[in-house]
Amino acid sequence: MHEELLSEVRGEVLWLTINRPERRNAINPAVLDGLHAGIERANDDDGIRAVVITGAGEQAFCAGADLQSGKSFAFDYAQPGQRLADLLRRARRSNVPLVARVNGACMAGGMGLMAMCDMAVASDRAVFGLPEVKVGVFPAQVLSVLQHLVPRRVLNELCLCGEPLSAQEALAAGLVNHVSADLDGKLDWLLGRLLDKSPAAIRRGLYTLKHIDAMPFEQSMAFTESQIGLFAMTEDAREGQLAFREKRKPNWTGK
């Protein structure tokens, strides 16, 4: 049996590919466990600067739960956490940037995988949707990662009507950063803009961004005024400022 979640390091980037094209890269336990393990690996390895999450083939990024299995909503209610929810929690704690490469249909739980990423690049053929109401359920868990990405009216329509958005509509709604007919060219462009920056600043920056998301203003200010002092103490901060003064490229250590 072929691996259902492929993991490959390409330079400083870990690629995680859902490898179930015959099921439109639908989610199953092996996929969730593989994505969780991949994000853990990236955060434990200082040599990995970014994670790309995508689907095999050209038809689908991820079509959501594998409804053909008949077990998609058969949870173990004795467990306080479910696999998808635990993956979204782990992604939220990641200090390594996650980038979604949306190569095709991004539906239901696939929207959760896309939205848990820090950035997303989509093919101009991609479509996005939350069709759960068509099969009598609701996109409950993915709301936690979607609700701050798009305007409430857009989210309400996606959830309550279950109809899809085109790639351009998703871009206009703020679901993705970029849409291109040259998906990999645009992805490489985005990664290039990320990978030449300070690893320490990005790692601590993501930590800061994610922690202040739900804080009220005064709490956020108290947290960030302490964080900027820690940023300034890193080797990368000293090197970056020295390189600026010396008009040269910085030599990052990631420390």
Side-chain angles (χ1 to χ4, degrees):
M1 185 168 127
H2 70 285
E3 291 185 75
E4 295 182 306
L5 194 288
L6 303 177
S7 177
E8 178 188 3
V9 176
R10 304 181 191 176
E12 297 177 293
V13 181
L14 175 63
W15 282 64
L16 301 175
T17 303
I18 305 170
N19 189 33
R20 307 187 73 221
E22 73 286 353
R23 286 280 190 263
R24 291 169 59 82
N25 295 320
I27 296 169
N28 68 0
V31 167
L32 294 176
D33 291 347
L35 290 171
H36 195 291
I39 294 171
E40 286 278 357
R41 175 186 178 185
N43 280 266
D44 289 341
D45 186 343
D46 288 342
I48 296 175
R49 298 284 317 282
V51 177
V52 169
I53 296 175
T54 191
E58 298 182 356
Q59 298 303 310
F61 169 75
C62 174
D66 189 351
L67 298 181
Q68 293 296 328
S69 70
K71 300 178 181 178
S72 297
F73 301 100
F75 303 121
D76 179 356
Y77 294 105
Q79 296 298 324
Q82 305 300 334
R83 272 190 169 103
L84 176 57
D86 285 341
L87 172 62
L88 300 181
R89 291 184 178 103
R90 184 62 191 91
R92 182 71 172 183
R93 298 194 309 272
S94 177
N95 296 324
V96 175
L98 310 178
V99 182
R101 174 187 176 273
V102 185
N103 51 305
C106 178
M107 311 299 284
M111 287 275 275
L113 302 186
M114 180 276 300
M116 78 180 186
C117 294
D118 303 294
M119 294 181 284
V121 180
S123 163
D124 60 354
R125 302 184 310 274
V127 292
F128 300 79
L130 296 170
E132 283 88 340
V133 290
K134 296 180 179 181
V135 294
V137 289
F138 202 75
Q141 294 174 95
V142 303
L143 287 178
S144 296
V145 288
L146 274 173
Q147 65 174 338
H148 298 306
L149 279 184
V150 296
R152 176 60 59 170
R153 298 287 193 194
V154 174
L155 184 62
N156 288 349
E157 185 173 344
L158 280 167
C159 292
L160 300 176
C161 298
E163 299 301 332
L165 299 179
S166 69
Q168 289 298 332
E169 288 170 329
L171 179 65
L175 271 174
V176 298
N177 296 83
H178 304 283
V179 169
S180 177
D182 181 7
L183 175 60
D184 287 326
K186 198 64 179 180
L187 176 64
D188 288 344
W189 172 85
L190 183 61
L191 290 172
R193 290 163 65 96
L194 173 70
L195 296 176
D196 66 347
K197 306 307 188 302
S198 160
I202 289 173
R203 188 163 53 244
R204 288 208 65 88
L206 266 182
Y207 172 85
T208 302
L209 279 166
K210 291 176 178 181
H211 273 73
I212 68 171
D213 184 50
M215 290 181 184
F217 176 76
E218 284 298 339
Q219 185 182 354
S220 171
M221 286 307 306
F223 181 75
T224 54
E225 67 186 349
S226 65
Q227 287 299 306
I228 192 61
L230 296 175
F231 277 103
M233 292 173 65
T234 65
E235 291 179 11
D236 275 7
R238 290 192 290 273
E239 167 62 13
Q241 293 169 77
L242 181 61
F244 177 82
R245 291 192 295 271
E246 295 178 349
K247 296 181 172 57
R248 61 171 174 82
K249 280 186 155 185
N251 298 308
W252 306 121
T253 65
K255 302 295 185 184

